Amino acid sequence: MTAITAASKDLASCHLCYKLAPATEHHCPRCGSTMHLRKTASIQRTLALLITASILYIPANVLPIMITDQLGSAEPSTILGGVVLLIELGSAPIAAIIFIASVMVPLSKLFALFYLCWCVEKQAKTSNQQNTAMFRMAEFVGKWSMIDVFVVAILVALVNLGGLMAIRPGTAALAFAGVVIVTMVAAESFDPRLMWDQTEENNE
């Protein structure tokens, strides 16, 4: 089956309302937003953001994400340390949610976007349907990995018992928020239409 894309017909899709319009148009005739045939330097920008997120991921997991001050004694906790502590306290379901949202989801999203960039850059012969599903999944689940930051923010706001006990956010909370935000921007920078352009070129 021959794949035909809008680009081959000199048509561009609006990023906001998805209306097809001539590629020579710079603004959508329906909603007025800026139109591009393809996102400029999509792969390069996505890779730069992914490398930044990978670097931030290290302090996010090595440094303490939360510091508990109790009777003058400070107890730092990393993400994995918190997961282990929850398991020891018998809260395995909560530990599983924290582990999935804070460790597995960011890593999976990073690997998925790196893989998709590699497929486009190397013109790998892979299934575009599967790659598109992977991209949509990575784009969707990445937004839910902020749960760890939300938990810390709620605890900091709620637990403040004067000099007896207080919870402060650690440096890792900032790094982890950076990982989530940068990967979300990376997913927005990646143009999945590049995968289908490659299919069309292979069919020619």
Side-chain angles (χ1 to χ4, degrees):
M1 182 177 71
T2 302
I4 299 175
T5 64
S8 66
K9 302 297 179 185
D10 290 327
L11 295 171
S13 172
C14 174
H15 302 300
L16 190 61
C17 69
Y18 303 109
K19 178 178 176 56
L20 284 176
T24 52
E25 297 282 342
H26 298 294
H27 293 87
C28 175
R30 180 159 60 189
C31 68
S33 62
T34 304
M35 291 182 63
H36 304 283
L37 187 62
R38 295 291 181 265
K39 293 179 181 176
T40 308
S42 169
I43 299 301
Q44 291 84 352
R45 284 191 293 119
T46 305
L47 283 174
L49 290 164
L50 289 177
I51 291 170
T52 303
S54 301
I55 294 171
L56 286 172
Y57 189 77
I58 297 171
N61 282 275
V62 173
L63 297 176
I65 195 167
M66 186 174 70
I67 300 169
T68 305
D69 288 326
Q70 189 171 11
L71 298 175
S73 175
E75 183 69 32
S77 302
T78 61
I79 293 176
L80 289 177
V83 170
V84 173
L85 180 63
L86 285 169
I87 293 173
E88 290 175 351
L89 293 174
S91 302
I94 299 175
I97 292 172
I98 297 292
F99 181 75
I100 291 170
S102 304
V103 179
M104 290 186 64
V105 168
L107 271 182
S108 303
K109 189 172 182 180
L110 284 172
F111 280 124
L113 290 175
F114 269 124
Y115 173 74
L116 293 174
C117 288
W118 177 82
C119 288
V120 172
E121 194 66 23
K122 298 297 181 183
Q123 299 185 353
K125 293 182 178 179
T126 55
S127 168
N128 283 337
Q129 286 86 356
Q130 291 180 0
N131 288 347
T132 301
M134 182 189 297
F135 172 72
R136 288 176 178 166
M137 182 65 72
E139 193 178 29
F140 175 75
V141 299
K143 299 169 184 174
W144 294 96
S145 51
M146 283 290 271
I147 188 169
D148 223 39
V149 179
F150 291 148
V151 169
V152 173
I154 291 170
L155 288 176
V156 169
L158 293 180
V159 182
N160 190 351
L161 304 178
L164 295 178
M165 184 177 180
I167 293 180
R168 295 182 284 116
T171 311
L174 191 61
F176 190 81
V179 171
V180 176
I181 292 170
V182 172
T183 51
M184 286 171 65
V185 177
E188 289 295 322
S189 298
F190 182 77
D191 195 337
R193 296 171 297 186
L194 293 172
M195 297 185 295
W196 297 97
D197 289 346
Q198 176 187 322
T199 302
E200 188 179 37
E201 290 170 5
N202 293 337
N203 289 331
E204 287 178 353

